Amino acid sequence: MDEEILQFLREHSSAFLSGEEISRQLKVTRTAIWKRMKVLREMGYEIEASTKRGYRLIRSPDLLSPSEVKPILRTKWMGKTIHHFQTIDSTNYKAYQLALIGAEEGEVVIAESQKKGRGRLGRHWFSPSFLNLYLSVILRPKIPPQQASIITLMAAVATAEAIEKFSGLKPSIKWPNDILLRSRKVAGLLNEIQSEMDQIHFVILGIGVNLNMDERMFPKEIRSTATSLKKEMGQTISRKAFLQSLLGELEEWYGIFLKEGGAAILKAWRDRAQIEGKRVKVTSFGETVAGVAVDVDSDGALILRTQDGDEKRIVAGDMEYKK
Ligand code: BTN
């Protein structure tokens, strides 16, 4: 009902709308409307109320609800359905559940905060309220599961592009899919798939972007390695505007993948990552290997030349650059 009230207030933003009119349109009591107005104010909506004239919307908070986001989206299909939550365990988990019961390609799950935000390799993703972006996008590409990693690379490229276009800064990608600004992590991706042997059912692209966190807000363990767009740009970021940009880039890069195939994605990923020839250390399933990065193959695996000259193919893990 909140969405409907807001929609109604927005359509008449220059004038007052009487409680009676709203209750008639939405077929609920005036007391119910009054109660919802109270809740909306607590959410940050500035709503003027006059006993004689009714209600008027003065200002909206930077919320990521469908009624705030949809009017500014420039996508053709992505984000046309947005499932928005004040708080949730994990947007990835929710998107997975929705996809299992038939949610369509392009549906998006967004939360203002996550109680169990999930990072790669079983880690926790710090997800405080109203500061950052936590979203999961459902895709249903008609490809075999072997090609799923290219979708991950595609999402990393799209996120980096969105950050660059939005900020003018130049993010890089660190294998497998961390997005860095000045060598600090500004965004991370956790992608999950559901598939049978020869056909993917769906992919969940889980993206977390640190937008308005100040340095002191990061947990101590990541304070020296993480950053936010606000910190890098020196100004508060409109989460709505950033989301608009991110969904636009995701739709575009997914389109490039479907039209041109994986090679175009791999090229863009390589340009961003500049990994070739870098001295790195990779920890994978409890084992640490040092060497020189050779490339990333079309499955997203890292090819590493070890000190004794062997080439190793690493499918998952954590990579660090060595000085
Ligand atoms: C990483 O470890 O770098 C991946 C972090 C991914 C975080 C995002 S936030 C939205 C989505 N929901 C989750 O629980 N995780 C991803």
Side-chain angles (χ1 to χ4, degrees):
M1 177 161 64
D2 294 347
E3 288 293 317
E4 284 175 278
I5 295 178
L6 287 168
Q7 185 64 27
F8 209 44
L9 287 174
R10 259 189 219 104
E11 281 164 12
H12 301 84
S13 60
S14 52
F16 278 90
L17 262 180
S18 71
E20 200 184 323
E21 173 75 6
I22 306 175
S23 71
R24 200 173 46 239
Q25 292 284 341
L26 301 186
K27 299 188 179 57
V28 289
T29 63
R30 288 182 64 175
T31 320
I33 298 290
W34 179 82
K35 281 191 186 147
R36 295 326 296 168
M37 292 294 178
K38 198 162 167 273
V39 172
L40 287 171
R41 284 207 186 95
E42 280 161 14
M43 283 162 69
Y45 286 92
E46 218 177 293
I47 298 167
E48 197 180 340
S50 140
T51 11
K52 290 217 181 80
R53 291 180 295 174
Y55 301 98
R56 187 160 70 115
L57 181 63
I58 308 282
R59 197 171 315 125
S60 301
D62 187 27
L63 278 183
L64 301 174
S65 58
S67 70
E68 292 297 326
V69 170
K70 278 172 141 189
I72 61 163
L73 280 190
R74 288 195 293 246
T75 51
K76 289 197 191 75
W77 54 271
M78 195 173 280
K80 292 296 164 198
T81 300
I82 294 177
H83 305 267
H84 173 253
F85 299 87
Q86 289 301 316
T87 186
I88 202 169
D89 40 10
S90 152
T91 57
N92 263 33
Y93 182 69
K94 185 71 191 177
Y96 202 99
Q97 300 302 318
L98 288 169
L100 282 178
I101 55 166
E104 284 174 19
E105 175 154 88
E107 291 195 23
V108 173
V109 178
I110 299 178
E112 301 293 345
S113 72
Q114 298 184 114
K115 287 194 286 269
K116 289 189 183 152
R118 289 159 52 203
R120 286 178 53 245
L121 308 172
R123 294 187 192 120
H124 172 69
W125 185 259
F126 186 56
S127 314
S129 298
F130 305 122
L131 290 168
N132 301 320
L133 193 58
Y134 319 111
L135 89 159
S136 300
V137 180
I138 298 168
L139 294 180
R140 293 185 180 276
K142 291 187 178 50
I143 54 170
Q146 295 75 12
Q147 283 178 30
S149 342
I150 209 83
I151 302 277
T152 294
L153 303 184
M154 178 283 291
V157 169
T159 306
E161 288 282 319
I163 292 175
E164 177 159 339
K165 288 197 180 141
F166 190 85
S167 64
L169 303 169
K170 229 178 166 33
S172 61
I173 300 176
K174 181 167 86 79
W175 184 85
N177 43 32
D178 288 353
I179 314 297
L180 310 184
L181 278 173
R182 289 192 309 125
S183 307
R184 287 176 177 226
K185 181 158 168 174
V186 68
L189 281 82
L190 178 69
N191 302 328
E192 299 178 70
I193 70 165
Q194 221 258 0
S195 82
E196 54 190 83
M197 286 301 278
D198 50 9
Q199 167 79 57
I200 285 181
H201 294 158
F202 59 79
V203 180
I204 306 296
L205 299 180
I207 307 177
V209 189
N210 297 330
L211 291 180
N212 284 316
M213 300 245 281
D214 294 328
E215 188 158 312
R216 63 185 165 79
M217 294 173 181
F218 285 105
K220 271 204 206 78
E221 319 81 78
I222 56 169
R223 203 167 287 162
S224 61
T225 53
T227 192
S228 71
L229 215 48
K230 177 182 176 192
K231 184 163 177 260
E232 299 302 319
M233 290 176 72
Q235 65 188 64
T236 302
I237 308 301
S238 157
R239 297 185 311 147
K240 258 187 295 201
F242 183 79
L243 178 64
Q244 173 196 49
S245 169
L246 179 58
L247 289 179
E249 290 300 320
L250 280 170
E251 184 176 281
E252 187 172 338
W253 280 94
Y254 185 51
I256 293 175
F257 166 67
L258 295 179
K259 213 163 121 213
E260 298 174 30
I265 303 300
L266 214 50
K267 181 182 177 313
W269 193 94
R270 286 181 177 127
D271 286 350
R272 283 266 171 210
Q274 299 287 325
I275 200 169
E276 199 190 323
K278 293 243 172 79
R279 279 162 38 82
V280 298
K281 192 171 83 176
V282 187
T283 306
S284 174
F285 303 106
E287 194 197 345
T288 302
V289 197
V292 175
V294 178
D295 199 1
V296 162
D297 69 16
S298 56
D299 296 331
L302 176 70
I303 313 294
L304 192 70
R305 182 165 309 111
T306 59
Q307 272 131 357
D308 41 22
D310 292 343
E311 275 196 7
K312 254 187 170 284
R313 187 174 175 274
I314 304 173
V315 290
D318 266 330
M319 188 190 81
E320 250 177 73
Y321 292 118
K322 284 177 55 180
K323 302 239 164 68

